[in-house]
Amino acid sequence: MELNCLSEYLSGNRYPGRGILLGKHVDGKSAVIAYFIMGRSENSRNRVFVEDGQGIKTKAFDESKLTDPSLIIYAPVRVLDKTTVVTNGDQTDTVYEALQVGKTFEEALRTRTFEPDAPNFTPRISGQVLADGDLSYKMSILKSDNGREESVLRFFYEYDEPINGEGHFIHTYQCDGNPIPSFEGEPVRVKVEGDIDTFTSNIWNSLNADNKVSLFTRFIDLKTGETQSRILNKNQ
């Protein structure tokens, strides 16, 4: 599989939707996480990321303009001990709560399906990072079978001993459209390099200026567990 430059990959796509990147920094010392959201409607664009304990949550930028919070207000990132969960919806809580009682990422997501936003049926994308000296991570996408509301496809990907300087990226939409076509294929193999500020700005600047909303990035030191995080919001 080709090793892609993420900024080049993103800059050629007007609307990848929401995206998750998980990987290992080129220096081999850090786990790397990125999550971004985009929006076409006023309701989707009226959001910011804010810190929420060790994780983050979405919040309406202008509460007076919030019309339907059901699919746009949630906690994208939650942390349980040395495990970080990142998703594009309230399935973050489904996974987090399952892990608390000894269940797995996969068991949790088998109870969920794609978003009920016909005709798009937006996929649910999810990731889990275990950084306990070594690094392993998992990714998943739950999507409609060719736009059919009654049929769900669940895909799971597991990465042990990831390669320095490489990560995997998954996003909700293949491209813009009406209805919007779901992501296809395996998570995209991408380069992971640069300090956190360079890494963050490269992703942010490659997202479509009209549609980008918020970006979260985190480096986790595999030896100490210490984190560096960044949040960028179009609405400031």
Side-chain angles (χ1 to χ4, degrees):
M1 184 185 295
E2 179 184 359
L3 183 62
N4 293 269
C5 170
L6 182 59
S7 58
E8 292 178 3
Y9 178 87
L10 287 171
S11 63
N13 190 341
R14 176 177 171 79
Y15 200 59
R18 286 164 275 175
I20 296 171
L21 178 150
L22 306 178
K24 190 175 187 181
H25 194 267
V26 67
D27 65 10
K29 297 179 181 179
S30 300
V32 175
I33 298 170
Y35 176 64
F36 65 78
I37 59 175
M38 306 181 78
R40 299 192 305 178
S41 69
E42 182 181 31
N43 197 44
S44 291
R45 291 177 175 180
N46 180 36
R47 289 184 288 174
V48 291
F49 285 165
V50 295
E51 293 182 351
D52 183 30
Q54 292 179 287
I56 61 170
K57 63 183 179 181
T58 62
K59 182 178 182 293
F61 176 66
D62 183 342
E63 295 285 352
S64 69
K65 294 181 179 179
L66 180 63
T67 56
D68 180 6
S70 60
L71 295 175
I72 66 168
I73 303 301
Y74 57 93
V77 177
R78 297 190 69 178
V79 178
L80 179 65
D81 298 325
K82 296 181 180 180
T83 299
T84 302
V85 179
V86 52
T87 90
N88 73 325
D90 63 12
Q91 74 269 25
T92 309
D93 295 335
T94 304
V95 175
Y96 179 86
E97 290 163 7
L99 295 177
Q100 285 184 309
V101 296
K103 294 185 179 180
T104 66
F105 178 76
E106 294 85 355
E107 286 176 308
L109 291 172
R110 288 191 183 108
T111 70
R112 302 302 303 268
T113 183
F114 46 82
E115 295 183 355
D117 60 339
N120 297 316
F121 299 122
T122 299
R124 291 190 187 271
I125 54 173
S126 307
Q128 174 186 291
V129 176
L130 177 59
D132 60 350
D134 294 319
L135 172 64
S136 63
Y137 56 88
K138 298 178 179 181
M139 306 185 89
S140 171
I141 183 168
L142 315 178
K143 63 181 186 175
S144 165
D145 187 356
N146 201 32
R148 294 187 298 166
E149 185 171 9
E150 68 278 7
S151 183
V152 59
L153 304 176
R154 295 184 177 90
F155 297 92
F156 297 95
Y157 306 91
E158 189 168 358
Y159 304 92
D160 288 330
E161 298 184 13
I163 298 170
N164 291 359
E166 295 189 14
H168 293 86
F169 173 63
I170 196 166
H171 49 104
T172 52
Y173 303 130
Q174 197 71 10
C175 57
D176 205 353
N178 190 21
I180 317 174
S182 295
F183 176 84
E184 296 180 359
E186 294 184 17
V188 178
R189 187 167 161 253
V190 295
K191 299 175 184 177
V192 180
E193 55 192 3
D195 62 34
I196 190 168
D197 291 312
T198 301
F199 174 78
T200 302
S201 63
N202 284 345
I203 296 175
W204 185 247
N205 293 333
S206 66
L207 295 171
N208 180 269
D210 292 331
N211 295 321
K212 67 183 177 183
V213 175
S214 297
L215 168 66
F216 167 82
T217 60
R218 174 167 289 172
F219 284 17
I220 306 171
D221 188 297
L222 293 173
K223 184 176 180 179
T224 67
E226 294 180 356
T227 64
Q228 300 180 72
S229 301
R230 301 289 185 269
I231 291 175
L232 295 179
N233 292 307
K234 187 174 181 180
N235 295 312
Q236 296 291 347

